[in-house]
């Protein structure tokens, strides 16, 4: 499989990059910081350097991918009073290029806030906490969900509550909004869930919340 990967310089993206390459997939990596990547020289990959606002630069990366995988770091951008939404704005450029190049399948990670949280008590609580104490993150997540759900593309949004748990040997579980959800997930388990879902083309037009089966 050919994968167009955005965000490979971050912890989650780096784990996904390694999993795809070890699986024998060809990865087209798009990044503005190629020096931050750690890739085996014998692996099947191609790096395109550019910003997430440069649609012409990312055309080849997206055009060559069977699926687009986007892993932004939601907590690394913005300040409390910052009204900008760089993650959502960058996603809009990615979606524009996907439409231009005839690509439709996208997998995306997003903080589990904004949009519809349904009747899940944990999600409602997390939603309130983020909105009160990290409003910039809430605005990003809310806009990301709005942008991708209205895109007309075949999307999967992997939600997370706390992506900083330590690696757990218990594996991961997913919640589709009705089941109980635990409070956090390790980067390793989140990456494994995304990898498995991309390989199986799972959760089409859904937004699973990913969490560690065993909370430590």
């Amino acid at each position: 499989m050919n994968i167009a990967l955005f965000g490979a310089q971050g912890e989650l993206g780096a784990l996904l990059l390694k999993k795809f390459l070890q699986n024998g997939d060809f990865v087209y990596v798009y990044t503005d910081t190629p020096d931050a990547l750690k890739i085996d020289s014998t692996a099947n990959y191609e790096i395109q350097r550019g910003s997430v606002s440069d649609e012409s630069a990312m055309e080849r990366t997206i055009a060559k991918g069977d699926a687009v995988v986007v892993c932004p770091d939601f907590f690394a951008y913005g300040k409390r009073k910052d009204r900008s939404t760089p993650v959502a704005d960058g996603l809009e450029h990615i979606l524009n290029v996907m439409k231009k190049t005839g690509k439709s399948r996208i997998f995306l990670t997003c903080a589990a806030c904004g949009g519809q949280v349904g009747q899940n008590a944990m999600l409602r609580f997390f939603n309130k906490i983020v909105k009160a104490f990290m409003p910039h993150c809430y605005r990003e997540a809310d806009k990301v969900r709005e942008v991708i759900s209205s895109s007309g593309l075949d999307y999967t949004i992997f939600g997370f509550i706390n992506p900083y748990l330590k690696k757990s040997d218990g594996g991961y579980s997913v919640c589709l909004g009705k089941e109980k959800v635990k409070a956090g997930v390790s980067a390793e388990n989140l990456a494994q869930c995304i990898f498995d879902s991309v390989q199986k083309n799972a959760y089409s037009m859904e937004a699973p919340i990913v969490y560690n089966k065993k909370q430590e």
Side-chain angles (χ1 to χ4, degrees):
M1 182 182 292
N2 293 334
I3 307 295
L5 179 61
F6 291 76
Q9 68 278 3
E11 180 182 8
L12 177 62
L15 289 168
L16 273 170
L17 174 60
K18 183 177 181 180
K19 288 181 180 295
F20 287 131
L21 293 177
Q22 288 180 340
N23 189 58
D25 299 312
F26 196 104
V27 184
Y28 293 88
V29 182
Y30 189 85
T31 179
D32 59 354
T33 56
D35 293 341
L37 301 174
K38 297 180 180 179
I39 306 179
D40 186 329
S41 61
T42 63
N44 296 318
Y45 69 95
E46 177 178 299
I47 298 174
Q48 174 64 50
R49 182 170 189 165
S51 71
V52 289
S53 62
D54 190 343
E55 295 187 8
S56 61
M58 67 175 72
E59 273 194 27
R60 176 177 171 81
T61 299
I62 291 175
K64 292 292 185 178
D66 300 313
V68 176
V69 180
V70 185
C71 302
D73 187 347
F74 271 80
F75 300 108
Y77 300 97
K79 297 180 180 180
R80 182 178 177 81
K81 296 182 179 181
D82 186 1
R83 306 296 299 185
S84 66
T85 52
V87 173
D89 296 344
L91 176 61
E92 287 186 309
H93 290 295
I94 292 172
L95 298 177
N96 287 341
V97 177
M98 287 183 67
K99 293 175 183 178
K100 181 178 180 180
T101 56
K103 300 298 178 177
S104 61
R105 193 66 172 104
I106 181 170
F107 298 83
L108 170 76
T109 58
C110 181
C113 59
Q116 299 296 318
V117 297
Q119 299 302 310
N120 190 296
M122 177 63 76
L123 295 183
R124 292 203 309 271
F125 174 75
F126 180 69
N127 208 54
K128 290 179 180 179
I129 292 296
V130 175
K131 191 172 184 179
F133 297 101
M134 293 182 287
H136 60 285
C137 180
Y138 181 90
R139 284 192 295 271
E140 282 279 29
D142 196 47
K143 186 174 179 179
V144 161
R145 292 175 185 279
E146 178 184 353
V147 166
I148 199 166
S149 62
S150 62
S151 67
L153 300 180
D154 186 2
Y155 65 83
T156 301
I157 305 174
F158 295 95
F160 53 81
I161 294 178
N162 172 14
Y164 301 116
L165 293 192
K166 294 181 180 179
K167 183 177 180 180
S168 171
D169 294 331
Y172 66 84
S173 286
V174 300
C175 165
L176 293 174
K178 297 180 181 179
E179 310 91 339
K180 289 184 178 180
V181 61
K182 295 181 180 179
V185 65
S186 65
E188 290 83 0
N189 278 336
L190 182 54
Q192 187 64 52
C193 179
I194 298 169
F195 171 80
D196 292 342
S197 301
V198 172
Q199 298 299 322
K200 299 174 183 177
N201 194 25
Y203 302 115
S204 173
M205 307 302 286
E206 292 185 309
I209 309 298
V210 189
Y211 62 92
N212 285 0
K213 284 185 179 179
K214 184 178 180 182
Q215 301 280 308
E216 297 178 346

